[in-house]
C-alpha cells in the first residue's frame, strides 16, 4: 500500500464548501499500436472532475512529457502522440490532474508496438509418412508481438483444415498441425496461416509449403493412443479471463478425448470443450482452480495426462478511502484494503493499510492516494481531506422544534452543532441545568436521554455549545402522548402446505397520531404493499395478516408491530406448516459392483409429518432422464438410511438421487451423487445382424452390427468370429480387436467361388467372453475378373471379363462401373454407364493419391445385374509443378464432361 499526499500549488487556497479536489472520470488504457504506421496518432484519454477545473501533466516511465514539443500535444486532458515511434514512445504513461485542492495520478497505461514479420523464404523439407500413423507439421512462425492465432491451408486458399475434423488439430501455442492418423488422400501441400490482432488493425501471413506424402500401407496396424500435445504441469490464469489447455493424441483408430477435473466436478462453463482437444474455461473463478486430466482412448487402450490450473487475480479494493472533513486538532484514521493473488504488496509502509494523522492542522488538507499492486496490475484510490475550524453553529442541524414522546417510554434528543474544535455541550430545561439522574442521562457527545416519561416532563429543552471561537444554543419542545399497546395478539397456528391462515393483531394508541402495522418473519420485514404474493392485509385500519396458499418457507415466528411516530408495541406468534419432506443429505455411493451399488444418506427435514418411504432415482451416461431404480429392499421404509441399487449395467457411468415422501407428498430430490462407474464384467449378449457375402475372388466377407455401449460391459472390447465350411467340423476362430468393427474379410487362394460357410460371433472384453450368436450361412465371393490401372492423378482404366447374356429379359446394353473411396460406404458409390459392350472404360474426375474400390455390373432394359467382386486402385500423386491448380480444374472439368456423356447414354438406352 502507498499513501500519497499532494498539496495545493503556489499558495492558492482551497475554499471549504466551494472547491473540490480532482476525481478521475476517465483514465488512459493500454494500447498495442501497429509498428510501421508512422502517419497515425496514439490517443491516451484523461479526464477529471474538479472545482476549479483541473490542469493536466503526463509522465512517461516516471519522467514528465514535454507537451507542445516535438510530437506531443494535449487536447483537454488527453495526450496525443503524432507519428509514434517504437524506440521513443514505448513505455508506461500516467496522467496527473491538478487544481488548488491537490493532485491525483492515474493508473499506468502501457503503449506497446505490435508487429508480424514474414515467414522465412527457405524451402521446407518434404515429409513422408505411412498410412495409419500419426505425424505433425511445424509452423515455425516468424517474429511477432503480441500472440498469434493459427490456421492451416491445404493446397490452395481458402481450403482451410476444418476444426470439426477429429483427426486434425492446430495448436494455438506452437502453431503446429497435428494429425492423429494419416490417410492416403492427406497427400498435399500445407501452409501455416498466422494472424495477429491489434487494437486498431489485423495482419496475416502464411508460410512456404510443407509437402506431405502419405504412402499406402495395406498392413496398417492398430495402435493405442499416444498423447503428443501436452499442457504444462501448472498453468497460471487470471480470474475473469479464459484458461485454455491443449491435449491431442495419435493412434489407430483415431483416439477420442475427454477431460475431467481430478479434485472436483468439472465446471459447467466448460461446455462441449470437455470432449475436444482444447479445454476452455471462460470467466475463471477461484472455484475453477485445481488439477485437470485429459484422457485419450480408443479400442486399443488409453493414456492420461494431468496438470494444474492456478487462478490468480489483479488487485481489487475491499475498502477504499472516502473524502473526509475533520476538525482541527483531532485525529484522522483512513483504511485502504485490497485483495489479489499474489497478495498486493506494500511499496511504502504507512502502518500497513492504515493511515493515521494526529493533532490535525490546516496544512494537512489536500488530496491523498492509496496504491495497491501485484505482478498483474496496479490500482489507485483517491480521497480529499479537509481540516475544519469554526465556532459552534446550529443553523444546519438545530435541535428538533417538536419532540413527541410516549408516556411510560423513553426519548433521545440530539445536539449536533457544527464546530471545530469539538465544543463543550450542556442541556437545560427552562432555567434548570440538567445533570445525570435515575431518569435523565446527558452523554459527552451531546445526547439527552429521558426514561419512564410522564406528563410532568413536558416543556422546553435547550442545548448550549461552546469552544474557544464562540458560543451557540438551540431549543426544542417535548410533548408527551399516550402509549401504544397490543390489545389482540396473534395466536400460534398449525396448518398443511397450501392452506390459508389469518393472524390477528389489534392495538390501542394516542388518537392524535397515526398508527401503522408491520409484520416480520423470523426478523425479516415483510413487503405488504404488493397486490400479489402470499401475504395480504385484511383491512387497512387493523393489523390482521392473511397468508394464502402457505408453503414450507412461510413457517416460522411472525412479529406484529403497531407503531406511531413516538413508540411501538409488538407481539409474536409461531406458524407451523406441515408438508412433504425436505431433500435427504449426504448421499454417498459405496461397494460398487458389476450390477449393483450401495447408497447411504442422512435424513432431511420431515416438515412435521413423519417420512413414510424413500425412492431412489438414477440415470446413466446414455440418457439425461432420471428413472426409478430397482432396489433391495424393494420398498424402502421411512426410517432407513441405506439401500442397495440393483439391475445396473456393468462398466457404465451412473449418478443417483434419493427422494423422501410422507402422507402429504414427495419432497425435493437430494443433491445428485458423484458419478461412479460400475465394475467390468464379461459380455452377456452376442452381436446381432450376422451376415455377409460378396467381395473379391477367393474372399469370404462376414458382417455384423457393432455392439452398443450398454452391452460392452468393459474395455479392451472386441469380437471373436468363428467360421467353417458347411462340410467340415473344425471351426476357425479369429479376434477382431475393435469395438466399432462390423466386417471381417477372410482370404484363401484355394477358396472356390460361392462356397457356403457357417459363421457365428461373440463379444469379448478384459473380463472374458460372452455367448456365441446363432449360426448363419454366408457364401464366399462369386467368380469374376476385373482389373484397374491408374493412368494419372485423376483417371483410371477399368477392364473386365465380358458377360455373354445378362438374362432372358432383354438384350445386354452395356456395363455400369461403380467406384467409391476406401472409407466410404458402397451404397454411396458414384456410377458411370457405358453405352456399348466394350469390356473396358476410363473413369475420370477422381482425387489424387486416393484409394478407390471399383466394381462392374451389366445392365439391360430390365435393370442392373449383380456386381462383380470389387477391386482396389490408388490414383497417382499430382505432378509437382506450378500447374497443380490447373490440373485440379482440368480433372474436375473432365469429370463433369464424363457425367454429361453418361447421362446422354442412359437416355439413349431408355429410348431403345
Amino acid at each position: 500500500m502507498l499513501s500519497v499526499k499532494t498539496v495545493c500549488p503556489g499558495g492558492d487556497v482551497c475554499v471549504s464548501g466551494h472547491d473540490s479536489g480532482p476525481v478521475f472520470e476517465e483514465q488512459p488504457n493500454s494500447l498495442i499500436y501497429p509498428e510501421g504506421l508512422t502517419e497515425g496518432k496514439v490517443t491516451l484519454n484523461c479526464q477529471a472532475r474538479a472545482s476549479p477545473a483541473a490542469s493536466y501533466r503526463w509522465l512517461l516511465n516516471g519522467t514528465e512529457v514535454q507537451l507542445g514539443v516535438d510530437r506531443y500535444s494535449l487536447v483537454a486532458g488527453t495526450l496525443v502522440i503524432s507519428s509514434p515511434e517504437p524506440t521513443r514512445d514505448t513505455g508506461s504513461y500516467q496522467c496527473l490532474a491538478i487544481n488548488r485542492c491537490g493532485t491525483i495520478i492515474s493508473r499506468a497505461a502501457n503503449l506497446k508496438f505490435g508487429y508480424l514479420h514474414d515467414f522465412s523464404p527457405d524451402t521446407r523439407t518434404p515429409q513422408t509418412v505411412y498410412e495409419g500413423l500419426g505425424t505433425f507439421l511445424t509452423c515455425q512462425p516468424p517474429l511477432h508481438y503480441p500472440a498469434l492465432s493459427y490456421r492451416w491451408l491445404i493446397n490452395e486458399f481458402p481450403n482451410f483444415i476444418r476444426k470439426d475434423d477429429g483427426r486434425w488439430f492446430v495448436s494455438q501455442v506452437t502453431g503446429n498441425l497435428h494429425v492423429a492418423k494419416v490417410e492416403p488422400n492427406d497427400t498435399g501441400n500445407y501452409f501455416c496461416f498466422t494472424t495477429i490482432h491489434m487494437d486498431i488493425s489485423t495482419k496475416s501471413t502464411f508460410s512456404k509449403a510443407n509437402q506431405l506424402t502419405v504412402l499406402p500401407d495395406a498392413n496398417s496396424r492398430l495402435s493405442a493412443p499416444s498423447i503428443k500435445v501436452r499442457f504444462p504441469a501448472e498453468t497460471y490464469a487470471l480470474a475473469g479471463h479464459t484458461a485454455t489447455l491443449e491435449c491431442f493424441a495419435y493412434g489407430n483408430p483415431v483416439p477420442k478425448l475427454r477431460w475431467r477435473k481430478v479434485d472436483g466436478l468439472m465446471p459447467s462453463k466448460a461446455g462441449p470443450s470437455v470432449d475436444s482437444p482444447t479445454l476452455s474455461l471462460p470467466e475463471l473463478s477461484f472455484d475453477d482452480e485445481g488439477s485437470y486430466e485429459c484422457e485419450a482412448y480408443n479400442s486399443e487402450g488409453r493414456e492420461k495426462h494431468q496438470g494444474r490450473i492456478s487462478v490468480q487475480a489483479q488487485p481489487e479494493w475491499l475498502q477504499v478511502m472516502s473524502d473526509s472533513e475533520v476538525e482541527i486538532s483531532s485525529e484522522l484514521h483512513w483504511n485502504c484494503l485490497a485483495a489479489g493473488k499474489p497478495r498486493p504488496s506494500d511499496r511504502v509502509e504507512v502502518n500497513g493499510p492504515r493511515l493515521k494523522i494526529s493533532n490535525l492542522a490546516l496544512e494537512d488538507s489536500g488530496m491523498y492516494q492509496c496504491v495497491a499492486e501485484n505482478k498483474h496490475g496496479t490500482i489507485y484510490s483517491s480521497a480529499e481531506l479537509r481540516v475544519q475550524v469554526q465556532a459552534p453553529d446550529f443553523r444546519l442541524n438545530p435541535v428538533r422544534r417538536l419532540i413527541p414522546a410516549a408516556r411510560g417510554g423513553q426519548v433521545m434528543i440530539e445536539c449536533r452543532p457544527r464546530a471545530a474544535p469539538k465544543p463543550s455541550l450542556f442541556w437545560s430545561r427552562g432555567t434548570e441545568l440538567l445533570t445525570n439522574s435515575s431518569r435523565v442521562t446527558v452523554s459527552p457527545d451531546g445526547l439527552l436521554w429521558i426514561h419512564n416519561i410522564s406528563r410532568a416532563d413536558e416543556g422546553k429543552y435547550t442545548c448550549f455549545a461552546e469552544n474557544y471561537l464562540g458560543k451557540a444554543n438551540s431549543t426544542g419542545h417535548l410533548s408527551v402522548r399516550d402509549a401504544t399497546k397490543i390489545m389482540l395478539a396473534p395466536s400460534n397456528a398449525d396448518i398443511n402446505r397450501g392452506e390459508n391462515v389469518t393472524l390477528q393483531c389489534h392495538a390501542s394508541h394516542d388518537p392524535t397520531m397515526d398508527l401503522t402495522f408491520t409484520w416480520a418473519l423470523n426478523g425479516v420485514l415483510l413487503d405488504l404493499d404488493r397486490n400479489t404474493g402470499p401475504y395480504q392485509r385484511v383491512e387497512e385500519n387493523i393489523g390482521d395478516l392473511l397468508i394464502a396458499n402457505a408453503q414450507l418457507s412461510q413457517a416460522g415466528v411472525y412479529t406484529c408491530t403497531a407503531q406511531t411516530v413516538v413508540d411501538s408495541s409488538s407481539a409474536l406468534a409461531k406458524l407451523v406448516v406441515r408438508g412433504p419432506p425436505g431433500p435427504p443429505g449426504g448421499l454417498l455411493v459405496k461397494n460398487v459392483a458389476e450390477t449393483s451399488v450401495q447408497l447411504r444418506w442422512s435424513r432431511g427435514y420431515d416438515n412435521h409429518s413423519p417420512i413414510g418411504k424413500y425412492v431412489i432415482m438414477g440415470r446413466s451416461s446414455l440418457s439425461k432422464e432420471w428413472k426409478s431404480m430397482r432396489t433391495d429392499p424393494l420398498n424402502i421404509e421411512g426410517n432407513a438410511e441405506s439401500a442397495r441399487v440393483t439391475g445396473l449395467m456393468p462398466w457404465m457411468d451412473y449418478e443417483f438421487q434419493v427422494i423422501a415422501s410422507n402422507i402429504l407428498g414427495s419432497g425435493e430430490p437430494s443433491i445428485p451423487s458423484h458419478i461412479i462407474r460400475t465394475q467390468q464384467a464379461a459380455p452377456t449378449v452376442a452381436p446381432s445382424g450376422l451376415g455377409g457375402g460378396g467381395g473379391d475372388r477367393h474372399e469370404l466377407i462376414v458382417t455384423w452390427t457393432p455392439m452398443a455401449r450398454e452391452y460392452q460391459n468393459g474395455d479392451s472390447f472386441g469380437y471373436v468370429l468363428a467360421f467353417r465350411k458347411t462340410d467340415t467340423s473344425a471351426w476357425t476362430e479369429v479376434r477382431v480387436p475393435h469395438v466399432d468393427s462390423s466386417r471381417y474379410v477372410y482370404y484363401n487362394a484355394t477358396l472356390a467361388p460361392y462356397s457356403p460357410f457357417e459363421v457365428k460371433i461373440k463379444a469379448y472384453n478384459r473380463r472374458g467372453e460372452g455367448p456365441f450368436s446363432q449360426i448363419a450361412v454366408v457364401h464366399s465371393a462369386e467368380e469374376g475378373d476385373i482389373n484397374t490401372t491408374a493412368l494419372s492423378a485423376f483417371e483410371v482404366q477399368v477392364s473386365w471379363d465380358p458377360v455373354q447374356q445378362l438374362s432372358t429379359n432383354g438384350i445386354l446394353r452395356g456395363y455400369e462401373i461403380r467406384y467409391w473411396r476406401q472409407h466410404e460406404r458402397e451404397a454411396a458409390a458414384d456410377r458411370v454407364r457405358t453405352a456399348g459392350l466394350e469390356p473396358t472404360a476410363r473413369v475420370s474426375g477422381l482425387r489424387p493419391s486416393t484409394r478407390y474400390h471399383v466394381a462392374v455390373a451389366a445392365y439391360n432394359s430390365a435393370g442392373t445385374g449383380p456386381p462383380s467382386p470389387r477391386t482396389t486402385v490408388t490414383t497417382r500423386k499430382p505432378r509437382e509443378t506450378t500447374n497443380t491448380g490447373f490440373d485440379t480444374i482440368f480433372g474436375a472439368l473432365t469429370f463433369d464432361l464424363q457425367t454429361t456423356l453418361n447421362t446422354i447414354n442412359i437416355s439413349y438406352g431408355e429410348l431403345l
Side-chain angles (χ1 to χ4, degrees):
M1 301 291 176
L2 171 64
S3 178
V4 180
K5 183 220 171 181
T6 53
V7 297
C8 310
D12 215 355
V13 177
C14 180
V15 180
S16 177
H18 180 270
D19 295 344
S20 61
V23 176
F24 280 119
E25 295 183 325
E26 188 173 6
Q27 298 188 56
N29 294 313
S30 295
L31 178 69
I32 299 177
Y33 190 82
E35 187 177 275
L37 191 63
T38 57
E39 296 182 359
K41 293 182 179 180
V42 168
T43 300
L44 299 173
N45 295 326
C46 182
Q47 187 67 40
R49 179 181 70 253
S51 179
S55 60
Y56 299 91
R57 291 159 47 200
W58 281 84
L59 303 178
L60 170 57
N61 299 325
T63 302
E64 186 167 355
V65 174
Q66 299 302 311
L67 299 173
V69 178
D70 199 3
R71 297 164 295 112
Y72 300 105
S73 60
L74 194 66
V75 179
T78 296
L79 177 65
V80 179
I81 307 173
S82 301
S83 303
E85 301 174 8
T87 56
R88 300 175 61 184
D89 300 321
T90 299
S92 175
Y93 289 80
Q94 287 181 286
C95 169
L96 281 73
I98 309 157
N99 77 354
R100 63 191 178 203
C101 292
T103 302
I104 54 175
I105 188 169
S106 74
R107 67 187 175 211
N110 294 314
L111 174 59
K112 297 182 179 180
F113 288 79
Y115 58 90
L116 174 60
H117 293 178
D118 290 330
F119 278 90
S120 169
D122 297 338
T123 301
R124 301 199 170 196
T125 303
Q127 186 172 337
T128 302
V129 64
Y130 280 100
E131 171 188 1
L133 299 179
T135 190
F136 71 97
L137 301 174
T138 59
C139 178
Q140 301 173 9
L143 295 175
H144 62 275
Y145 180 83
L148 299 174
S149 62
Y150 300 91
R151 291 187 292 173
W152 280 76
L153 293 162
I154 177 170
N155 292 331
E156 59 185 15
F157 186 88
N159 188 18
F160 287 101
I161 298 291
R162 296 201 323 269
K163 292 183 179 179
D164 57 356
D165 190 335
R167 289 194 305 121
W168 300 92
F169 175 64
V170 179
S171 170
Q172 296 303 309
V173 176
T174 63
N176 294 341
L177 173 65
H178 296 262
V179 57
K181 185 193 75 170
V182 297
E183 297 177 354
N185 55 4
D186 293 333
T187 295
N189 291 319
Y190 293 80
F191 303 86
C192 182
F193 189 89
T194 62
T195 302
I196 188 170
H197 300 277
M198 289 171 282
D199 292 300
I200 61 175
S201 69
T202 299
K203 182 180 180 182
S204 298
T205 186
F206 59 91
S207 69
K208 290 288 186 180
N210 293 259
Q211 185 180 11
L212 176 65
T213 302
V214 180
L215 301 179
D217 184 1
N219 299 315
S220 177
R221 296 182 179 179
L222 302 177
S223 60
S226 176
I227 297 179
K228 298 298 185 181
V229 179
R230 296 173 176 261
F231 49 96
E234 183 137 23
T235 299
Y236 295 94
L238 277 175
H241 291 230
T242 298
T244 302
L245 302 181
E246 293 185 344
C247 178
F248 191 70
Y250 300 170
N252 186 9
V254 175
K256 295 182 179 179
L257 296 168
R258 60 182 168 214
W259 294 83
R260 73 182 186 97
K261 189 177 183 185
V262 178
D263 44 6
L265 295 177
M266 175 66 77
S268 60
K269 66 182 70 175
S273 72
V274 295
D275 296 316
S276 70
T278 301
L279 176 67
S280 181
L281 299 176
E283 295 294 327
L284 272 179
S285 68
F286 288 105
D287 292 337
D288 301 325
E289 190 170 74
S291 295
Y292 289 80
E293 178 183 87
C294 165
E295 180 182 26
Y297 62 97
N298 64 11
S299 59
E300 303 305 303
R302 62 192 64 236
E303 186 178 5
K304 300 177 180 179
H305 175 66
Q306 289 187 6
R308 180 175 179 80
I309 293 180
S310 293
V311 180
Q312 300 197 336
Q314 296 173 330
E316 61 177 339
W317 291 117
L318 299 177
Q319 183 177 2
V320 297
M321 305 183 298
S322 58
D323 292 344
S324 297
E325 293 187 0
V326 185
E327 64 188 38
I328 195 168
S329 301
S330 64
E331 191 170 82
L332 172 72
H333 292 272
W334 258 335
N335 289 328
C336 189
L337 297 178
K341 188 177 180 184
R343 181 180 177 274
S345 63
D346 301 340
R347 292 197 288 127
V348 176
E349 288 286 341
V350 186
N351 193 22
R354 298 175 181 84
L355 175 64
K356 173 183 176 182
I357 304 176
S358 302
N359 195 23
L360 284 166
L362 287 174
E363 56 267 25
D364 294 320
S365 298
M367 298 298 299
Y368 291 75
Q369 281 186 290
C370 178
V371 183
E373 66 177 3
N374 66 11
K375 66 181 182 180
H376 300 298
T378 303
I379 55 176
Y380 294 79
S381 172
S382 304
E384 182 178 0
L385 171 64
R386 293 187 176 180
V387 179
Q388 295 181 328
V389 54
Q390 73 174 92
D393 188 346
F394 281 99
R395 285 176 297 179
L396 295 179
N397 195 21
V399 174
R400 282 185 296 164
R401 292 186 179 278
L402 179 62
I403 308 164
R407 188 167 53 185
Q410 64 181 14
V411 69
M412 180 195 71
I413 310 175
E414 289 186 325
C415 178
R416 299 202 179 277
R418 291 177 62 90
K422 183 181 296 184
S424 300
L425 300 174
F426 309 95
W427 280 95
S428 70
R429 182 188 175 199
T431 59
E432 177 189 1
L433 184 65
L434 297 179
T435 58
N436 291 334
S437 65
S438 59
R439 292 196 313 113
V440 176
T441 302
V442 181
S443 67
D445 58 356
L447 296 181
L448 173 62
W449 286 90
I450 305 174
H451 307 275
N452 193 19
I453 294 174
S454 67
R455 292 286 185 185
D457 293 317
E458 282 191 331
K460 292 184 178 181
Y461 292 79
T462 302
C463 178
F464 296 88
E466 180 180 355
N467 66 12
Y468 71 87
L469 296 172
K471 299 178 181 180
N473 63 78
S474 180
T475 301
H477 184 271
L478 177 63
S479 175
V480 179
R481 313 291 174 89
D482 290 337
T484 302
K485 295 181 180 179
I486 298 291
M487 304 303 293
L488 178 59
S491 301
N492 295 337
D494 189 329
I495 61 173
N496 291 335
R497 187 180 68 171
E499 295 180 348
N500 298 343
V501 65
T502 298
L503 302 180
Q504 293 182 309
C505 186
H506 298 182
S508 65
H509 68 292
D510 190 299
T512 63
M513 294 181 294
D514 293 331
L515 178 68
T516 59
F517 288 92
T518 60
W519 285 87
L521 171 57
N522 298 325
V524 178
L525 197 65
L526 301 179
D527 182 2
L528 303 181
D529 294 329
R530 294 186 300 174
N531 294 326
T532 59
Y535 303 111
Q536 301 173 20
R537 297 183 187 273
V538 176
E539 294 182 28
E540 282 297 325
N541 58 344
I542 62 174
D544 293 355
L545 174 68
L546 170 64
I547 305 173
N549 188 25
Q551 301 299 309
L552 297 174
S553 59
Q554 269 99 53
V557 177
Y558 284 80
T559 304
C560 171
T561 301
Q563 186 169 358
T564 67
V565 295
V566 298
D567 69 340
S568 63
S569 180
S570 299
L572 307 178
K574 183 178 181 181
L575 175 64
V576 173
V577 180
R578 301 181 186 273
L587 180 59
L588 296 176
V589 184
K590 302 285 188 181
N591 304 328
V592 179
E594 296 173 353
T595 59
S596 65
V597 297
Q598 186 78 24
L599 296 188
R600 296 185 182 276
W601 62 88
S602 58
R603 293 168 56 87
Y605 294 112
D606 63 10
N607 290 321
H608 310 289
S609 181
I611 297 173
K613 67 175 183 178
Y614 291 96
V615 174
I616 295 177
M617 308 294 290
R619 64 181 177 185
S620 72
S621 55
L622 301 178
S623 173
K624 295 183 178 180
E625 181 181 354
W626 290 96
K627 297 181 179 179
S628 179
M629 308 301 290
R630 283 189 290 169
T631 60
D632 181 17
L634 183 61
N635 296 314
I636 307 172
E637 301 294 335
N639 59 355
E641 292 188 350
S642 68
R644 191 155 193 84
V645 180
T646 60
L648 304 177
M649 291 180 283
W651 198 56
M652 184 61 64
D653 293 338
Y654 285 96
E655 58 182 330
F656 303 96
Q657 291 179 333
V658 180
I659 299 175
S661 62
N662 58 21
I663 60 173
L664 297 175
S666 297
E668 293 293 321
S670 67
I671 295 175
S673 68
H674 290 309
I675 296 176
I676 59 93
R677 176 170 291 184
T678 51
Q679 297 293 321
Q680 300 187 37
T684 57
V685 298
S688 61
L690 187 61
D696 295 342
R697 187 168 23 173
H698 307 309
E699 284 185 349
L700 170 69
I701 296 180
V702 183
T703 61
W704 62 92
T705 302
M707 295 275 278
R709 172 66 177 82
E710 56 263 40
Y711 302 118
Q712 295 171 18
N713 289 4
D715 59 5
S716 299
F717 186 87
Y719 304 92
V720 177
L721 180 67
F723 57 91
R724 68 181 180 186
K725 275 190 157 184
T726 54
D727 56 356
T728 61
S729 59
W731 291 89
T732 299
E733 288 191 359
V734 294
R735 284 182 171 253
V736 184
H738 195 322
V739 65
D740 295 326
S741 295
S742 61
R743 184 172 181 269
Y744 178 77
V745 180
Y746 168 67
Y747 177 84
N748 189 327
T750 64
L751 190 59
Y754 208 66
S755 298
F757 279 79
E758 292 180 330
V759 296
K760 58 183 179 179
I761 191 170
K762 62 182 176 180
Y764 73 88
N765 62 22
R766 186 184 299 276
R767 293 294 298 273
E769 298 178 353
F772 269 116
S773 68
Q774 295 292 320
I775 293 175
V777 176
V778 179
H779 290 80
S780 62
E782 298 183 63
E783 190 65 77
D785 194 11
I786 179 173
N787 294 307
T788 53
T789 304
L791 300 180
S792 70
F794 310 101
E795 187 176 38
V796 298
Q797 176 87 23
V798 185
S799 60
W800 57 89
D801 293 337
V803 175
Q804 299 303 319
Q805 178 63 35
L806 183 63
S807 71
T808 60
N809 294 332
I811 300 173
L812 182 66
R813 291 185 174 179
Y815 296 91
E816 181 179 90
I817 303 171
R818 304 176 185 175
Y819 56 97
W820 64 98
R821 286 185 289 169
Q822 180 182 16
H823 298 290
E824 294 179 333
R825 295 180 179 270
E826 184 174 354
D830 290 315
R831 301 166 187 247
V832 174
R833 281 190 172 186
T834 69
L837 302 181
E838 186 69 25
T840 182
R842 291 187 178 188
V843 178
S844 304
L846 305 179
R847 297 190 180 189
S849 301
T850 302
R851 182 178 292 184
Y852 284 87
H853 295 299
V854 182
V856 179
Y859 74 92
N860 65 7
S861 59
T864 304
S868 69
R870 67 186 181 191
T871 187
T872 59
V873 63
T874 301
T875 54
R876 296 181 180 179
K877 291 194 301 181
R879 294 195 304 273
E880 297 180 2
T881 68
T882 57
N883 294 325
T884 301
F886 174 77
D887 290 343
T888 303
I889 296 171
F890 178 76
L893 290 174
T894 305
F895 174 73
D896 291 341
L897 178 60
Q898 182 70 47
T899 304
T900 304
L901 291 175
N902 293 338
T903 304
I904 296 173
N905 289 336
I906 293 171
S907 302
Y908 177 76
E910 291 174 350
L911 289 172
L912 292 177

